[in-house]
Structure formats: structure tokens, C-alpha cells
Amino acid sequence: MERQLPKYNSEYFFEKKNKYALLIPTLNEGERIQSQLRKIKSLSLENTVDIFILDSNSTDKSLEKDFLQECSVRAKIVVFEGKQGSAFRAGINEVLNENYDGIITVDGNNKDSMQSIFEFAKKLDEGYDFVQGSRFMKGAKHENTPLIRFLAMKLILIPWVSLLAKYPYTEVASAFRAYSKNLIINADILRDCFVSYEFLWYMSVFASRNKYKVIEIPTERCYPKTGKIPTKISMRGCFGIILQLFYLAIGKYNK
């Protein structure tokens, strides 16, 4: 497996300010990503993390330069191929080149609790290498989670990844996480096997099995009560995830 990056362009608006980077992958999220960025701005999070938008070539004009600058976004990275994993590889390559000490990631569909980012940064300050945000642990919250998704996570995803990781995770499907620079480098996640969601499962297993300092923190994830579910996972994508879990078990993603 090669260390081959997806095709992407990057545009920077501000100089580096903080030691941690916040990576937000997004694709045609419209008002959801705009509302999320406004929340981040209202919390003055730009004083804690430098914000990177990982845009998989959106066409909805929700991420115009002037708006991103108003929301104190440091950089917009436009990725022209692959899915979430490819977006993360492009973003992580940029922040490694910028020499950040750690990375926080969160989906760009306005479902997660932006105030939790302060706690992720705190855990990185305390020396943790992998911080998983969990909607299911004590003190956390989840609302309107689709039943089929809830059952898939509880009966398949979480038990399977926890078994492989030898760690009792309560959450593995959420991209609301933090990674130390040391973990990111040693996991070698710029390899081209990470195109979709493989990156999520692999990092949960790699961090624990290789004795990095791992912790979960409570977060909130709320789906809208009505309307279309904000997700990029299709039925075909669900079968793809099952295949990814099989590949994870047989070591396909190992270095």
C-alpha cells in the first residue's frame, strides 16, 4: 500500500495561530455546515484550534471565501477524488506540513456538540493520543438516531471494533475525535487504502493495540426530528462498511 495522496487544492486565509487543527470534511451540506461554522465562531474556538474545511468539491456554494473568512476558517482544502478517508488524508497531509501538535476531527453536518472541542483539546494537552467522542457513554446524549443505524452500531460496529482493538469502546462510528501528532505519524494513514471510512475503524484498533494513550469523552449527537437524515452512507455504503470490517480483521490495512 502506497503513501499516495488524492488530488486536492488548498487555499489559506490566515497564518497559523494554534497548536491544534480542527478538520471538518463536508460535501454539499448547505445550511448545515454554515450553521456549524457559525456555532464555532460564537464559541470563539478559533482561539483554541485552527479550522480547516475539507471540501469534497461541493457545488452548493455554501463555502464561499468571504463566508469562511468571516467564520475564522484558516484554510479550505478542495479534494477531487475519494470520500471521507481521502478528504482526511489531504487535510492531515496539510496539517503535518504545518507542524501541528494534534488534530481534532468532526463531521460537517451540524449534528455534533461543538462545545466539546474544548474538552478534546484539553485531553490532547493531558497527553492522550486518541480521544474518541461518544454519544453513548455516561454523561453523553443522542437524539433521533435512526433505529437501523443504532442497532448496527450496537450489535455490529462497536462490538467488532472493540474486540479487534481489545478496548471497551462505547463509540466507534463517530468521526468526532482527536489524535496526537505522534499517533498520526506512526499509524501512517496517508496510505491510499484509506478512501472511505476505513480510517475510522483502523485508528480505533491501531491506537489501542499499540498501547497509545486512549480515552473516550461524552459528546452529543443529534439528528433532526424531521426531514432527510444528514448522512452520506447509502445502502451500498453499508455493505461496503461490512467489507471494511472484514478487511480490518484480516489485517489488510496494517502497515
Side-chain angles (χ1 to χ4, degrees):
M1 292 174 284
E2 299 180 0
R3 293 182 77 251
Q4 183 174 339
L5 294 170
K7 295 178 182 178
Y8 73 90
N9 291 332
S10 58
E11 182 179 12
Y12 284 78
F13 310 126
F14 305 108
E15 295 298 316
K16 181 180 178 182
K17 182 178 179 180
N18 298 290
K19 61 181 178 179
Y20 301 135
L22 174 66
L23 304 187
I24 309 177
T26 182
L27 171 61
N28 290 327
E29 293 292 353
E31 176 56 30
R32 288 189 290 268
I33 182 61
Q34 291 185 339
S35 178
Q36 183 169 338
L37 289 174
R38 291 187 189 103
K39 287 180 183 177
I40 289 172
K41 180 63 177 178
S42 71
L43 293 167
S44 298
L45 274 163
E46 73 274 10
N47 296 319
T48 300
V49 291
D50 286 351
I51 305 159
F52 287 71
I53 291 293
L54 314 182
D55 178 25
S56 294
N57 206 17
S58 296
T59 57
D60 63 0
K61 298 183 179 180
S62 60
L63 298 170
E64 296 298 307
K65 180 178 179 179
D66 289 347
F67 173 73
L68 296 181
Q69 290 178 312
E70 289 173 9
C71 293
S72 300
V73 171
R74 185 185 177 210
K76 177 183 178 182
I77 299 171
V78 180
V79 188
F80 298 105
E81 59 186 57
K83 298 182 180 180
Q84 189 190 75
S86 295
F88 276 136
R89 282 161 52 221
I92 289 171
N93 182 64
E94 287 291 307
V95 301
L96 288 178
N97 289 338
E98 293 288 306
N99 200 30
Y100 284 92
D101 292 341
I103 297 168
I104 300 169
T105 66
V106 63
D107 287 335
N109 50 24
N110 201 31
K111 292 186 296 190
D112 296 295
S113 48
M114 294 300 96
Q115 66 271 18
S116 300
I117 291 170
F118 293 111
E119 185 64 19
F120 280 103
K122 180 181 177 182
K123 292 303 179 188
L124 288 174
D125 284 340
E126 292 174 0
Y128 286 94
D129 295 293
F130 179 56
V131 187
Q132 173 67 68
S134 173
R135 76 194 98 172
F136 299 123
M137 67 185 297
K138 184 178 179 181
K141 177 183 177 181
H142 67 100
E143 289 183 351
N144 307 314
T145 306
L147 180 60
I148 187 67
R149 183 160 298 189
F150 178 83
L151 293 175
M153 287 186 289
K154 285 291 191 177
L155 300 179
I156 301 174
L157 270 174
I158 296 171
W160 187 251
V161 174
S162 294
L163 177 65
L164 296 176
K166 297 184 178 179
Y167 186 92
Y169 288 109
T170 65
E171 172 78 85
V172 298
S174 174
F176 208 2
R177 302 170 161 200
Y179 311 94
S180 69
K181 178 181 178 181
N182 186 49
L183 172 59
I184 285 288
I185 291 174
N186 290 331
D188 195 15
I189 57 81
L190 298 184
R191 290 171 289 142
D192 60 8
C193 58
F194 302 118
V195 176
S196 181
Y197 301 105
E198 307 93 346
F199 170 66
L200 297 180
W201 332 128
Y202 174 75
M203 290 302 288
S204 297
V205 173
F206 182 89
S208 177
R209 291 292 293 266
N210 287 278
K211 309 302 181 184
Y212 287 90
K213 197 172 181 182
V214 176
I215 193 172
E216 288 187 321
I217 64 171
T219 57
E220 297 180 8
R221 171 164 278 208
C222 300
Y223 287 79
K225 293 181 180 179
T226 59
K228 185 178 178 181
I229 297 172
T231 182
K232 295 294 186 291
I233 303 176
S234 63
M235 185 59 69
R236 181 179 179 182
C238 291
F239 287 112
I241 288 173
I242 292 173
L243 185 60
Q244 292 166 19
L245 295 176
F246 171 72
Y247 286 154
L248 183 70
I250 64 173
K252 180 178 179 179
Y253 307 122
N254 294 346
K255 295 193 293 179

